[in-house]
Amino acid sequence: MEKFKKIQSTAIPLTIENVDTDQIIPARFLKATDRNGFGDNVFRDWRFNKDNSKNEDFVLNNPKYSGSILVAGDNFGCGSSREHATWALSDYGLKVIVSSFFADIFKGNALNNGLLPIQVSPDFLNALLGEITKQPETKLEVDLEKQIISVVGTSFSSTFDIDAYKKTCMIKGYDDIDYLLSKKNEIEQFENTTK
Amino acid sequence: MKSYSLEFTLSEVERRKKTMSKKTLFDKVWDAHVVDSIENGPQVLYIDKHLIHEVTSPQAFNELERRNIPIFRPNQIVATADHNTPTKNQHLPIKDENSRKQLEQLSINCKKNNITLYELGHKYNGIVHVMAPELGITQPGMTIVCGDSHTSTHGAFGTIAFGIGTSQVAQVFASQCLLLTKPKSLRVSVNGKLKNGVLPKDVILYIISKLGTNAGTGYFCEYAGDVFENMSMEGRMTVCNMSIEMGARGGMIAPDRTTFEYVKDREFAPKNDAFEQKVTYWKTLPTDEGATFDKEYFFDAEDIEPMVTYGTNPGMGIKVTENIPSLEDDSFEKSLKYMNFEKGESLIDKPINYVFIGSCTNSRIEDFRVAANYIKGKQKADNVTAWLVPGSKQVETQIIEEGLKTIFDDAGFELRQPGCSACLAMNDDKIPQGEYCVSTSNRNFEGRQGQGARTILASPLVAAATAIEGKIVDVTKQLN
Ligand code: SF4
């Protein structure tokens, strides 16, 4: 996993609630056996019309908005367990997703892939969405070490919560497999006592 | 500024204190599987059974291979092919190249690693959440995971079962364990007598319509009360299956006589004395009297009626006799626009051209019995294409042996071969753009059953009635 460093970036406002994983990456794109290239099809059916022309109304197609931070409506990532959703978002170039609520499996998948889900209060989210929609050049800063997301050059900021263990993993670029492999003895002992 | 972490820590301490003496079903199964705990961090949870399928496993196999890590416990893994499989002519090579490759990759991976695979055409092949319970792989008190969110289905046996992402599939491959923070506990109780024509699917659609799609996020849910106690295992699986649709990682129902009888004598269930010993243990699992939950909800069985959804998430459900609500909300309006429904509208008499009875929610033998019982002697409406897709080879065989196929054939329904099929439309079973489909599956997301397809979730009974009438009807009127 790549190490997560402090970032500054403009952000993309996605003012839709309950964005499910079927929207992030539709099932028909799940037939690959590796993890690359999913970014081309992220939000496929919102980004493109049925005739494959660009849907100019969709925010990802609006040239005003860009950056590695996606600010999205409540309950982001609900639905299926497909990690392809996370791969697609990362492959598209995103490093952080901000929402007022994340579905469990999505959140876990994101953290396991170095994509940081930041949960903020509904009030903060609304204010943030308003700000970046109005001023697309607004820059956000995400400081994982301090657990703070802020609008650069203002006092507008919020702390966020993250599991201490996961935070260390993100910052150091470790993943759970490394940790679990280090527990082999305990695991075998557990098996022997319960069998 | 509000300090979220502090709030979390306090409730955490409270919670641990409360559950120390009296334990819930979930606590008992979870605690019995903790290998180790990281201070102020997650726990190492041991996984008894790992189910895999073609879509979410290839990248995990790659990851292990890349890092030169062997599969730790291949005999605790069972694989099936289900998401991509065609439901017609399964004996022929698969036409879609990508699907074929993905299935071939699964076969190669399983063979290389000595993993049992029920591939296409095998007598045990089927949707992962139908196949494992019917083979007795799923047993009370276990921990079961699968790279599929509807793994919650297995909770019907008093099992901790939940969906995982592909990174976690790799973790279980490597160590038979996962690093997890213990979820909070939630209990949903439904008591009373269900009305005629109200099925387990209606019960869970009703619960989700009341609680919304994220009420369960961060929680593991226990379903309690006489409605669930009186339910068959098939019904309990339908309910637990949809726990994820209210955000919960999983759902559980305490194991009881119904559970033990279902498990007994199945292919991989313990036999004779070993079985009796297990039953003695399983009987200790139900939640202790006086154990507390972080959140509780109570519902009255008599208030439940046959349900349908009108929007693009499973929480947007109404009784079939109710009208669509009128809310001022962007997401709500976007949803209605996609479905081409109006606020305040009734769905009764809406013409429907597609009906799908299948998916891991409702593709067990009981579901087809309910449908056949209603359909018998009637004819499908001319405008309707009706697909019946059994959840497994075994269910398919049973449908034929019990004479249900004849009923379906005579009525003009098409019985297909097992698989996930139109539940997620990864194979050719797609609902065309703009068409409505009354479906017994679990998700009505935009495009779930095909690009631009409009899904209305319902029970197998409502689905059968829709196919006969060619439109949505209040089926209770006909029953009473
Ligand atoms: S039937 Fe549908 S929900 Fe169930 S495992 Fe298959 S795709 Fe997932």
Side-chain angles (χ1 to χ4, degrees), chain B residues 438-457:
Chain B
V438 169
S439 174
T440 65
S441 54
N442 42 47
R443 287 194 174 135
N444 50 354
F445 297 154
E446 284 183 31
R448 172 80 177 182
Q449 296 194 290
Q451 266 179 288
R454 296 169 170 146
T455 304
I456 297 169
L457 302 175

Side-chain angles (χ1 to χ4, degrees), chain B residues 205-227:
Chain B
L205 282 174
Y206 173 90
I207 293 171
I208 302 168
S209 78
K210 295 288 176 200
L211 301 184
T213 50
N214 65 25
T217 307
Y219 293 82
F220 227 86
C221 176
E222 179 174 341
Y223 301 95
D226 49 18
V227 163

Side-chain angles (χ1 to χ4, degrees), chain B residues 82-83 127-129 148 150 241 359-361 419-420 423-424 442-443 448:
Chain B
D82 55 4
H83 282 64
I127 305 174
V128 60
H129 313 309
D148 186 282
H150 293 98
N241 174 277
S359 92
C360 56
T361 318
C420 292
C423 172
L424 93 165
N442 42 47
R443 287 194 174 135
R448 172 80 177 182

